[in-house]
Each structure stands twice: as C-alpha cells, then as structure tokens.
Amino acid sequence: MSPSKIQFPESTEVVSATSSPSWQIKLLYDGECPLCLREVNFLKKRDAGRGLVAFVDIADENYTPEAHGGIDFETAMGRIHAVLSDGTVIKNVEVFRRVYETLGMGWVYSATKWPIIGPIVDVLYGIWADLRLALTGRPNIATIVAERQKRIEGKSQGRCRLTQDSDC
C-alpha cells in the first residue's frame, strides 16, 4: 500500500489521504456550445489560474459520469450542473451563483437570491436551457446523444478488446 492511501479494515474502499480537491466547484459545460464556451472562457480568465473552478467539458468523448457526480451526458446537456468539492451536485441558476461567488463576483447573481427575482430567473433559465440547442443551430439532445454514442462505439470497435481468449 502506498503512503498516500488509507485502507479501512471494515471496507474494501481505498481513499486518498488528500481527499480534498484543490477546486471548490467543478463546472460541467458543453464544449460544443458557442455561448457556453464564451462564458467558460470569461470564467477561466476570472479564475486566473487559481484552480478555484475545475472546468469539465461534457462533450469530450472521455467524459465519465462516475468522475463527475454521476451526471450522465444527456442530463448534463439538458441543464447546467456543477459538483461542489464535498461531492454535492447542484444545477440550474444555482451553478452560476456558486461559480461567480467562488470567483469573487457574487454580486453579479446576488439579485437572483431575492424572493421575487430568483423564481423569475429560474423560469427564464429553464426556457433558455430548453431552447439553447435550437438557438445555437444544433440538433436536439436525443440526436446529439445518439451521434456521440455512435462516435464512441466506432472508436471502441477499432480497438482490440482483451478477453481471456484474446491474442492481442
């Protein structure tokens, strides 16, 4: 057992001794959405290499739900999600509130916490999220998910799969 790992006798789970990530919030974004990319580039500049926000492109074919709060690709495409450093998953406008607060710009979304403004902004975000793909000239979620799955399957079919009887 390496010195950075701790194994609990009552469990088979191995946990890193440095289980706290350096980031405070992990933002899951669609790297194929031009508007999302614009926002992410803005936020990356505000993060200025501090690593407070981990930016995760869900459109990357290597994206895995297990490493990102269990949020599958289709779910992440429907609404913006983030994972807090303690593993809590948040979504919708709350993601923007938390990311902006983390980067010291909480004032931008502070009005969305108010009793009247907050629910209106939440409804508007829901409408935006439902129309986002069409407004950016992209196919619907079902088509994007199917095309992604075909690409991933196509890549895996070209590789040698190891089995007990494999000669690879």
Side-chain angles (χ1 to χ4, degrees), residues 11 13 128:
S11 170
E13 182 179 348
W128 159 251

Side-chain angles (χ1 to χ4, degrees), residues 13-85:
E13 182 179 348
V14 177
V15 180
S16 172
T18 57
S19 61
S20 295
S22 60
W23 49 266
Q24 294 178 20
I25 188 166
K26 185 187 295 186
L27 177 65
L28 309 182
Y29 72 95
D30 176 6
E32 294 179 355
C33 170
L35 298 174
C36 302
L37 283 176
R38 180 174 283 169
E39 180 77 5
V40 165
N41 288 332
F42 169 78
L43 294 171
K44 283 181 177 180
K45 285 179 186 173
R46 296 295 182 227
D47 190 39
R50 294 177 289 173
L52 298 172
V53 180
F55 297 93
V56 178
D57 182 355
I58 62 167
D60 185 308
E61 291 176 4
N62 295 316
Y63 174 80
T64 57
E66 302 78 24
H68 307 294
I71 307 301
D72 63 61
F73 175 74
E74 185 172 2
T75 300
M77 282 295 292
R79 296 284 188 272
I80 194 159
H81 287 74
V83 181
L84 303 179
S85 60

